Amino acid sequence: MTTADSHNGRRLTARGAKTRARIVAAAADLMYVKGVGNTTLDDVLAASGVSKSQLYHHFEGKDALVRAVVDHVGAHVIARERRALGRVSTIRGLRRWRDALVQNSALQHAAYGCALGSLAAEVSDQDALARQTLFQLFTEWRDLLAGVLQRMQVRGVLPPEAPIDQLGTGLMAALQGGYMLAQTARDVTPMATSIDMALAHIESLSSG
């Protein structure tokens, strides 16, 4: 059985795909904790347990590996957000979503911020392909939030004139800004406050 390597077009055996996935997972974990710039290929080799020849068989260099990490992290985050938001249609549901994200950040003492946001901060000015992928991922995440608001609108919770796309963008901005403030403070309180302010604004538009 073979699978496609989306970055170089090669077909991978099941064993090759497993090796590639191990490299990407190890790199993603390291880059989340240490940052992209502070993670070397030698770090990835040590963490993944693969040989240098195996790594270069799958990735021509660090830039290619970073793009694979963006894909990997993005797939994980979007899948999580689909599960969390896919059927939400109430303010109460959005508050449960907020609570889960804040609690997860608290478990890490708010140390590492948003996995996608951290990648965006480091690579957007360095790699146009990675930046475009990140833009698409953030757009998809925002659209999931806008989908919740649209369902609220359909149910009559939000008025017909409520600016759904703008509210979705504002909620995403509150989330990402909250992540950054929490990361620098090592305290989830600013994150919770930021999201709460956005949700309070949305609730203020409620038709009752």
Side-chain angles (χ1 to χ4, degrees):
M1 180 178 177
T2 61
T3 58
D5 182 330
S6 61
H7 287 278
N8 58 30
R10 284 198 297 259
R11 304 296 295 180
L12 297 178
T13 64
R15 183 177 178 181
K18 187 175 180 179
T19 298
R20 185 183 188 279
R22 188 161 74 249
I23 295 168
V24 174
D29 288 344
L30 286 167
M31 290 176 186
Y32 182 46
V33 174
K34 297 179 61 174
V36 174
N38 290 327
T39 298
T40 67
L41 292 181
D42 284 341
D43 292 333
V44 176
L45 289 172
S48 63
V50 305
S51 67
K52 186 174 290 188
S53 63
Q54 285 176 307
L55 188 149
Y56 281 103
H57 174 74
H58 293 286
F59 303 102
E60 61 187 21
K62 187 175 177 179
D63 286 348
L65 179 55
V66 169
R67 290 172 198 149
V69 167
V70 169
D71 288 342
H72 171 81
V73 171
H76 173 78
V77 169
I78 295 301
R80 181 196 72 202
E81 294 302 289
R82 281 202 190 107
R83 290 192 299 270
L85 295 167
R87 296 186 179 183
V88 174
S89 59
T90 63
I91 282 287
R92 182 178 295 180
L94 280 174
R95 293 197 186 282
R96 285 196 296 266
W97 163 80
R98 168 265 195 212
D99 290 346
L101 289 178
V102 170
Q103 288 167 10
N104 187 63
S105 186
L107 290 174
Q108 302 172 68
H109 306 290
Y112 309 119
C114 171
L116 274 185
S118 297
L119 284 169
E122 288 205 70
V123 309
S124 290
D125 291 336
Q126 310 298 325
D127 187 324
L129 289 175
R131 184 197 63 77
Q132 183 60 32
T133 299
L134 285 160
F135 172 75
Q136 292 168 353
L137 289 164
F138 277 115
T139 298
E140 188 170 357
W141 195 349
R142 182 208 61 198
D143 288 348
L144 288 170
L145 290 167
V148 174
L149 302 176
Q150 188 171 46
R151 288 190 290 276
M152 291 172 62
Q153 193 174 56
V154 168
R155 293 177 66 242
V157 177
L158 290 176
E161 67 273 15
I164 298 302
D165 288 341
Q166 292 94 323
L167 290 172
T169 297
L171 185 50
M172 172 59 77
L175 170 62
Q176 291 301 319
Y179 264 125
M180 182 173 291
L181 291 171
Q183 183 179 4
T184 55
R186 292 295 193 270
D187 180 0
V188 295
T189 302
M191 178 183 179
T193 300
S194 180
I195 303 172
D196 284 344
M197 291 293 290
L199 293 179
H201 176 64
I202 292 168
E203 192 167 20
S204 75
L205 302 176
S206 170
S207 300

